[in-house]
């Protein structure tokens, strides 16, 4: 039972890997950006908080939320740019990117205001 | 309202908002954020910048500043009075947009017209009702519109606008928690019913992140945006939607067999992790006394909570549950049209229509708990009724058109229509489901008319497969149309009447009809003017908290407690003072540096919301904090009485004495028109207070605290000092104040 599950797990990883390498490069770049943002958030939240504590709270909050925010916005961009996504067929990628930039601008304006 | 009573600010809360706006317009925005108000809640003061919802005052201030910079000299008061009607026009426009997203422009127009007149919203947006809801309802509808628009188009641009509109809502009203809980509920509903789509993710995820940040920017909310339970739903659904998105993504790139393997693997590991996390969370939340919810939210969820634990919240009349007639009064015929609208929403069930259905179900529940939330129900009811009305009109006019067309055109057209329709056979029962399905037919028939003028033979093949169309007969349609128009007319008449009679009265000026014409009772303003002219600027006035805002705004004197009711102990102190005998009350008031006491008394003219009627709350709130005030001492047979059957504690309380001092001089018998009895103790003198002002109809009475004597009389004069007449319950101790 265990052997079959481990073999299944290996198969699973293989198929995941092979399917993922098939995605176009620009999407992979966006995925890398998302991973970076989430990684930063984790470092802030977990490591820094364990070491130093969460004072001042508003700076901590704005730091974590800015990372999560950029991650979320990048995922939205990826959804809109992905050619396999039928619902966004007629949305020009330039428009998607412009929206992404606008949203990021607003997000970072708020962050800087809240950073204290 | 403005025509009848002149341009004046109504009620109590608006006076505070007006005062804040005055300050803002005089001193600018930086002073406003840092303002520490020392004219209320003496001696504590109040941090205005941190405890007020700034949306309304900032909006009015901006309008005033904009108009003045264009050299249109409007006073601040005029801007404040007319802000509410202007924003209700905007709200109507927002309703049109929202309903158009859900069902189409016909429904949008109907809903906007209904909202423009619905009494419940008019009650909060008359000229002069300068309260938070005036702009908050507009912000609410506009935020919902942008959310639905994002859901329908999947554009990040609208998602940004949605977050900004949500920010405006957070600035304006505490009711923003309704939005931040309704939208996650809707997202969850969509996921559970299998309607997850990337647009849902785009609509929701940025809103949560940006919205939480923006909410934390507003000082009133601050860190509550992430710490209180009211927001946890949004975070929970945020996590859930990420999980679901990931699942869909993996499903898309894996073969089905591999996907099953992945699922079993993840589920087995995930369960363990989930259990641990949930256990920790539950332990954290349960350890705080209220489970992290604030008092007002808890009283919404459990309607009996407030009356058990927080008398302050229970005592506000707007927080009581509404009665059935008040539903009819406030939304009138909409109450009948709402169910029809709900069913019409189901006929093509889209994300947007499921949202509106959820909105109305939730708002019906909450409006059943608190009368004040009828206001949130009003837009939902208007949207639903607008949908129902426009569908009904479509059916009937379509039937009429078809019937008239069928009698004069050839059968080819008739076959066109019947074949492109797809309705089952049915009787003329005029059921609501008929209307819903008729719409599908009629819409497709209209499209069909445009597209299929040419292929007349192809539909004839289809006609054999599809069933016969149903169109209502001509007479029934015309009669139904006329009835609907009459229904609308009744609604308009009712709304106009309600607006004119029931909701226009600014409670600061009262009128009554009598045989010799209209009497105007302007006692409140008379007494506030007296206060501002005849007392020192630094004198402190104590009264029950209802009148705090008006006193600071109109009389410009420092008060002890006001309508903000943020400090229960302070209010309980005033309540205890009002329920104690004179000497104890004098001591309490003296310790607070009070100079004047204000009492509202309606017994001479029959004004029912005076302080004696509110007395039970003073006792309850005071007794909640100071245990020596026991409610049972004031009750005779379970009732508060002021006649000869009243308890001695009641007859000696400060409230009784200040209300009825010299009352017998008015008619010789002391007949109280509100309580409809003669009062119990008629002839008595006040030892620690002296009367300084009584308004024209005895509605407002002002008393001054007598200063203590310079020296206390010695023992030799002990016998003579017992001259306090009529105070039978005064102890035998020597009384140094007489």
């Amino acid at each position: 039972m265990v052997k079959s599950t481990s073999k299944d797990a290996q198969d699973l990883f293989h198929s995941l890997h092979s399917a993922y390498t098939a995605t176009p490069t620009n999407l992979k770049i966006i995925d890398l950006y998302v991973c970076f943002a989430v990684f930063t958030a984790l470092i802030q939240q977990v490591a820094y908080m364990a070491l130093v504590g969460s004072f001042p709270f508003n700076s901590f909050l704005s730091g974590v939320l800015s990372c999560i925010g950029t991650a979320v916005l990048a995922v939205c961009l990826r959804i809109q740019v992905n050619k396999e996504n039928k619902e966004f067929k007629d949305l020009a990628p330039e428009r998607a990117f412009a929206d992404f930039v606008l949203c990021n601008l607003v997000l970072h304006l708020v962050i800087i205001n809240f950073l204290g | 309202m403005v025509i009848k009573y002149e341009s004046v600010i109504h009620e109590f809360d608006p006076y505070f908002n007006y005062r804040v706006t005055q300050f803002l317009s005089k001193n600018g925005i930086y002073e406003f954020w840092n303002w520490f108000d020392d004219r209320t809640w003496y001696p504590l003061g109040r941090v205005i910048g941190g405890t007020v919802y700034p949306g309304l005052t900032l909006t009015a201030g901006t309008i005033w500043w904009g108009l003045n910079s264009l050299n249109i000299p409007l006073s601040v008061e005029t801007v404040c009075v007319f802000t509410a009607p202007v924003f209700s026009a905007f709200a109507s426009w927002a309703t049109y947009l929202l309903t158009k997203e859900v069902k189409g422009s016909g429904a949008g127009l109907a809903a906007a017209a209904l909202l423009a007149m619905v009494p419940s919203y008019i009650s909060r947006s008359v000229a002069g009702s300068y309260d938070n809801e005036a702009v908050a309802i507009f912000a609410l509808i506009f935020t919902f519109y942008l959310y639905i628009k994002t859901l329908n188009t999947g554009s990040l641009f609208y998602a940004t606008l949605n977050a900004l509109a949500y920010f405006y809502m957070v600035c304006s009203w505490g009711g923003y928690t309704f939005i931040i809980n309704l939208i996650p509920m809707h997202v969850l509903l969509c996921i559970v019913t299998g309607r997850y789509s990337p647009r849902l993710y785009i609509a929701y995820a940025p809103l949560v992140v940006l919205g939480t940040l923006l909410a934390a920017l507003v000082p009133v909310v601050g860190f509550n945006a992430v710490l209180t339970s009211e927001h946890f739903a949004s975070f929970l659904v945020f996590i859930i939607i990420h999980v679901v998105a990931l699942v869909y993504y993996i499903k898309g790139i894996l073969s089905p067999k591999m996907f099953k393997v992945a699922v079993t693997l993840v589920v087995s590991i995930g369960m363990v992790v989930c259990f641990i996390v949930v256990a920790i969370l539950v332990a954290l939340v349960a350890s705080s006394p209220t489970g992290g919810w604030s008092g007002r939210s808890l009283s919404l969820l459990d309607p009996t909570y407030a009356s058990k634990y927080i008398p302050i919240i229970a005592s506000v009349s707007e927080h009581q549950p509404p009665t059935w007639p008040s539903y009819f009064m406030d939304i009138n015929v909409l109450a009948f049209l709402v169910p029809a609208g709900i069913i019409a929403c189901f006929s093509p069930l889209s994300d947007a229509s499921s949202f509106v259905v959820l909105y109305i179900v939730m708002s019906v529940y909450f409006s059943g708990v608190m009368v004040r939330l009828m206001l949130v129900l009003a837009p939902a009811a208007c949207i639903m009724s607008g949908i129902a009305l426009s569908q009904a009109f479509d059916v009937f006019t379509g039937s009429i058109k078809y019937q008239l067309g069928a009698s004069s055109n050839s059968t080819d057209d008739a076959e066109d229509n019947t074949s492109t329709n797809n309705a089952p056979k049915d009787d003329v029962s005029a059921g609501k489901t008929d209307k819903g399905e008729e719409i599908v037919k009629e819409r497709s028939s209209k499209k069909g008319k445009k597209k299929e003028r040419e292929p007349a033979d192809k539909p004839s093949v289809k006609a054999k497969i599809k069933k016969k169309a149903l169109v209502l007969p001509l007479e029934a349609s015309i009669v139904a149309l006329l009835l609907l128009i009459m229904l609308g007319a009744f609604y308009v008449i009712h709304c106009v009447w309600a607006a004119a009679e029931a909701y226009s009265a600014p409670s600061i000026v009262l009128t009554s009809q009598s045989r010799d014409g209209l009497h105007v009772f302007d006692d409140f303003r008379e007494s506030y003017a007296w206060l501002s002219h005849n007392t020192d600027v630094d004198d402190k006035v104590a009264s029950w908290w209802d009148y705090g805002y008006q006193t600071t705004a109109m009389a410009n004197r420092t008060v002890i407690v006001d309508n903000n009711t943020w400090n229960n102990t302070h209010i309980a102190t005033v309540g205890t003072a009002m329920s104690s005998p004179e000497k104890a009350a004098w001591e309490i008031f003296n310790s607070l540096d009070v100079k004047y006491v204000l009492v509202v008394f309606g017994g001479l003219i029959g004004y029912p919301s005076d302080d004696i009627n509110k007395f039970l709350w003073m006792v309850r709130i005071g007794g909640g904090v100071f245990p020596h005030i026991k409610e049972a001492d004031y009750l005779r047979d379970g009732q508060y009485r002021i006649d000869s059957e009243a308890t001695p504690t009641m007859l000696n309380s400060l409230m009784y004495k200040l209300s009825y001092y010299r009352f017998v001089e008015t008619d010789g018998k002391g007949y109280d028109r509100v309580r409809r009895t003669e009062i119990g103790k008629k002839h008595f003198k006040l030892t620690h207070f002296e009367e300084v002002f009584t308004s024209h109809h005895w509605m407002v009475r002002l008393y001054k605290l007598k200063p203590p004597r310079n020296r206390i009389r010695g023992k030799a004069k002990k016998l003579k000092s017992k001259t306090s007449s009529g105070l039978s319950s005064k102890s035998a101790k020597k009384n140094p104040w007489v």
Side-chain angles (χ1 to χ4, degrees):
Chain A
M1 187 58 192
V2 179
K3 215 165 162 215
S4 69
T5 24
S6 70
K7 183 170 177 308
D8 279 340
Q10 276 189 329
D11 283 341
L12 174 67
F13 283 126
H14 276 308
S15 50
L16 267 178
H17 188 250
S18 57
Y20 189 67
T21 45
T23 55
T25 325
N26 53 350
L27 292 185
K28 276 198 209 155
I29 293 180
I30 297 182
D31 286 342
L32 199 62
Y33 180 62
V34 171
C35 288
F36 165 68
V38 172
F39 179 63
T40 319
L42 278 178
I43 290 201
Q44 276 191 341
Q45 162 98 5
V46 174
Y48 185 78
M49 205 168 127
L51 287 177
V52 185
S54 62
F55 178 82
F57 194 62
N58 55 339
S59 317
F60 167 71
L61 203 60
S62 62
V64 172
L65 280 180
S66 79
C67 296
I68 298 187
T70 47
V72 163
L73 288 177
V75 172
C76 290
L77 179 66
R78 187 188 198 280
I79 292 176
Q80 286 183 330
V81 165
N82 196 354
K83 287 194 193 47
E84 293 169 17
N85 232 327
K86 310 242 182 351
E87 290 180 358
F88 292 101
K89 239 185 335 175
D90 41 356
L91 184 71
E94 289 82 13
R95 164 78 196 268
F97 189 67
D99 283 346
F100 171 71
V101 168
L102 174 71
C103 216
N104 261 320
L105 268 178
V106 173
L107 175 70
H108 285 98
L109 191 68
V110 176
I111 297 279
I112 293 180
N113 199 357
F114 195 52
L115 210 49
Chain B
M1 358 102 254
V2 176
I3 300 174
K4 209 163 157 193
Y5 294 104
E6 89 184 67
S7 157
V8 75
I9 300 206
H10 297 199
E11 296 277 332
F12 300 119
D13 280 353
Y15 271 98
F16 170 68
N17 294 324
Y18 171 54
R19 187 165 155 254
V20 175
T21 318
Q22 267 183 321
F23 185 86
L24 174 67
S25 58
K26 243 186 277 192
N27 301 29
I29 189 159
Y30 284 113
E31 288 293 327
F32 169 70
W33 283 125
N34 291 328
W35 185 22
F36 180 80
D37 189 16
D38 56 354
R39 307 281 292 174
T40 71
W41 293 92
Y42 187 84
L44 301 164
R46 178 180 168 191
V47 182
I48 295 285
T51 57
V52 79
Y53 279 102
L56 176 70
T57 44
L58 284 177
T59 310
T62 316
I63 295 178
W64 176 84
W65 176 81
L67 285 176
N68 266 336
S69 59
L70 288 175
N71 284 324
I72 305 176
L74 284 181
S75 76
V76 180
E77 189 185 2
T78 318
V79 172
C80 292
V81 164
F82 285 104
T83 301
V86 168
F87 270 86
S88 69
F90 290 154
S92 208
W93 170 71
T95 314
Y96 163 69
L97 289 174
L98 174 58
T99 322
K100 189 169 86 142
E101 283 296 314
V102 177
K103 265 296 182 188
S105 46
L109 280 176
L114 288 174
L115 186 79
M117 285 187 295
V118 66
S120 155
Y121 184 45
I122 285 196
S123 72
R124 283 300 197 176
S125 68
V126 287
S129 170
Y130 184 56
D131 204 357
N132 284 339
E133 286 93 350
V135 290
I137 297 294
F138 162 64
L140 181 85
I141 305 178
F142 198 57
T143 312
F144 283 153
Y145 157 64
L146 286 172
Y147 173 65
I148 299 285
K149 185 99 189 178
T150 320
L151 202 56
N152 279 344
T153 60
S155 147
L156 207 54
F157 172 65
Y158 280 110
T160 318
L161 286 182
N162 189 15
L164 289 175
Y166 173 66
F167 174 53
Y168 186 50
M169 178 74 191
V170 174
C171 283
S172 312
W173 197 31
Y176 74 90
T177 49
F178 184 63
I179 299 188
I180 202 63
N181 283 312
L182 187 64
I183 292 188
M185 253 198 278
H186 175 244
V187 170
L188 207 58
L189 183 73
C190 282
I191 293 179
V192 163
T193 54
R195 301 185 70 98
Y196 170 78
S197 70
R199 289 173 290 123
L200 192 67
Y201 181 85
I202 293 182
Y204 182 63
L207 173 68
V208 169
V209 178
L210 214 54
T212 311
L213 267 175
L214 287 168
L217 266 186
V218 180
V220 181
V221 177
F223 297 145
N224 284 346
V226 289
L227 291 178
T228 55
S229 304
E230 283 133 4
H231 297 86
F232 279 167
S234 57
F235 298 136
L236 191 67
V237 178
F238 185 65
I239 296 178
I240 291 180
I241 199 175
H242 274 97
V243 169
V244 170
L246 203 63
V247 164
Y248 269 87
Y249 172 66
I250 294 187
K251 198 169 182 184
I253 62 174
L254 281 184
S255 64
K257 175 176 158 300
M258 285 288 109
F259 183 62
K260 279 205 198 101
V261 171
V263 165
T264 45
L265 200 64
V266 168
V267 163
S268 49
I269 300 180
M271 277 300 211
V272 178
V273 176
C274 252
F275 264 137
I276 301 177
V277 170
V278 164
I280 295 179
L281 213 63
V282 165
L284 268 179
V285 167
S287 62
S288 72
T290 54
W293 295 87
S294 77
R296 287 207 177 161
S297 313
L298 265 176
S299 64
L300 274 184
L301 291 176
D302 172 18
T304 57
Y305 176 81
S307 46
K308 276 186 272 174
Y309 297 108
I310 314 179
I312 278 266
I313 295 183
S315 73
V316 181
S317 68
E318 289 177 324
H319 292 182
Q320 306 299 330
T323 54
W324 279 111
S326 70
Y327 271 101
F328 188 71
M329 165 77 163
D330 271 350
I331 55 177
N332 205 244
V333 293
L334 302 184
F336 307 129
L337 289 175
V338 160
I342 294 182
I343 296 186
C345 272
F346 275 103
S347 61
L349 183 67
S350 67
D351 291 339
S353 50
S354 72
F355 176 75
V356 187
V357 170
L358 190 66
Y359 175 28
I360 194 156
V361 167
M362 281 292 120
S363 52
V364 164
Y365 170 71
F366 282 122
S367 69
V369 177
M370 246 198 221
V371 160
R372 192 173 187 186
L373 293 181
M374 286 278 305
L375 191 58
V376 174
L377 175 66
C382 290
I383 295 173
M384 279 300 173
S385 322
I387 293 176
L389 267 182
S390 82
Q391 306 287 51
F393 263 95
D394 275 347
V395 171
F396 296 134
T397 50
S399 306
I400 293 181
K401 258 196 253 181
Y402 173 68
Q403 295 281 9
L404 288 177
S407 59
S408 58
N409 285 0
S410 60
T411 40
D412 282 337
D413 290 331
E415 272 202 27
D416 259 354
N417 286 344
T418 51
S419 56
T420 50
N421 286 343
N422 198 1
K425 197 169 176 162
D426 205 342
D427 298 329
V428 186
S429 55
K432 294 166 191 167
T433 36
D434 286 350
K435 292 182 198 157
E437 311 202 68
E438 287 288 347
I439 305 319
V440 181
K441 290 194 309 275
E442 291 303 322
R443 289 257 170 93
S444 59
S445 81
K446 281 181 191 140
K447 280 189 215 160
K449 267 190 215 163
K450 284 181 204 159
K451 275 194 279 190
E452 288 169 8
R453 274 285 164 218
E454 311 87 60
D457 39 346
K458 199 171 160 214
S460 56
V461 173
K462 282 193 203 162
K464 291 173 191 146
I465 313 172
K466 304 209 163 68
K467 304 174 199 144
K468 257 207 280 190
L470 170 69
V471 162
L472 299 174
L474 185 65
E475 302 81 15
S477 310
I478 292 186
V479 168
L481 212 57
L482 283 176
L483 282 179
L484 270 186
I485 294 179
M486 271 176 51
L487 198 68
F490 278 132
Y491 174 69
V492 170
I493 293 177
H494 170 84
C495 294
V496 170
W497 169 83
E501 291 303 318
Y503 287 131
S504 280
S507 45
I508 196 165
V509 176
L510 304 161
T511 61
S512 78
Q513 291 281 6
S514 68
R515 277 176 312 233
D516 32 334
L518 192 69
H519 269 291
V520 176
F521 300 101
D522 213 2
D523 287 42
F524 281 107
R525 295 203 287 178
E526 185 191 343
S527 34
Y528 293 132
W530 188 94
L531 256 184
S532 72
H533 285 135
N534 292 306
T535 60
D536 289 332
V537 175
D538 281 332
D539 283 342
K540 327 275 183 279
V541 179
S543 65
W544 192 231
W545 57 263
D546 289 359
Y547 316 109
Y549 281 155
Q550 280 183 342
T551 313
T552 31
M554 295 186 73
N556 199 24
R557 295 287 173 268
T558 312
V559 290
I560 305 292
V561 289
D562 69 11
N563 306 53
N564 192 33
T565 67
W566 67 272
N567 190 333
N568 196 27
T569 314
H570 221 50
I571 297 184
T573 313
V574 174
T576 310
M578 293 295 193
S579 346
S580 314
E582 268 193 77
K583 174 146 189 281
W586 192 97
E587 310 258 311
I588 296 180
F589 280 141
N590 200 30
S591 73
L592 289 171
D593 287 346
V594 170
K595 210 60 182 312
Y596 294 91
V597 179
L598 186 149
V599 164
V600 169
F601 171 62
L604 184 64
I605 52 161
Y607 174 60
S609 44
D610 64 352
D611 281 354
I612 292 278
N613 272 354
K614 293 179 191 167
F615 186 58
L616 76 101
W617 293 111
M618 301 187 196
V619 171
R620 279 195 195 154
I621 297 175
V625 180
F626 299 99
H628 66 265
I629 303 282
K630 296 191 220 3
E631 200 176 342
D633 287 344
Y634 298 84
L635 296 172
R636 170 85 67 193
D637 307 324
Q639 270 191 358
Y640 284 90
R641 302 179 68 147
I642 47 98
D643 49 11
S644 45
E645 298 285 316
T647 61
T649 334
M650 180 77 188
L651 290 176
N652 280 311
S653 63
L654 188 71
M655 179 51 64
Y656 178 90
K657 289 206 177 146
L658 293 188
S659 296
Y660 293 118
Y661 181 61
R662 289 192 312 115
F663 187 48
V664 284
E665 294 172 18
T666 55
D667 60 352
K669 291 197 309 279
Y671 181 72
D672 182 345
R673 294 230 173 102
V674 180
R675 266 63 59 174
R676 294 181 215 240
T677 63
E678 293 184 18
I679 60 177
K681 194 152 61 168
K682 301 188 190 185
H683 304 273
F684 56 89
K685 287 222 180 85
L686 292 176
T687 56
H688 294 64
F689 295 86
E690 55 176 330
E691 182 184 5
V692 285
F693 178 76
T694 297
S695 64
H696 186 56
H697 299 100
W698 285 59
M699 275 178 64
V700 180
R701 313 194 65 186
L702 283 168
Y703 294 85
K704 188 169 169 178
L705 260 67
K706 276 194 195 172
R709 305 271 300 185
N710 270 333
R711 51 186 185 88
I712 301 184
R713 292 181 186 174
K715 276 192 185 172
K717 306 207 173 155
K718 190 162 127 184
L719 293 168
K720 274 200 203 160
S721 72
K722 276 211 214 153
T723 52
S724 39
S725 54
L727 299 173
S728 51
S729 77
K730 266 289 181 237
S731 60
K733 211 166 40 156
K734 61 180 183 292
N735 188 345
W737 305 119
V738 179

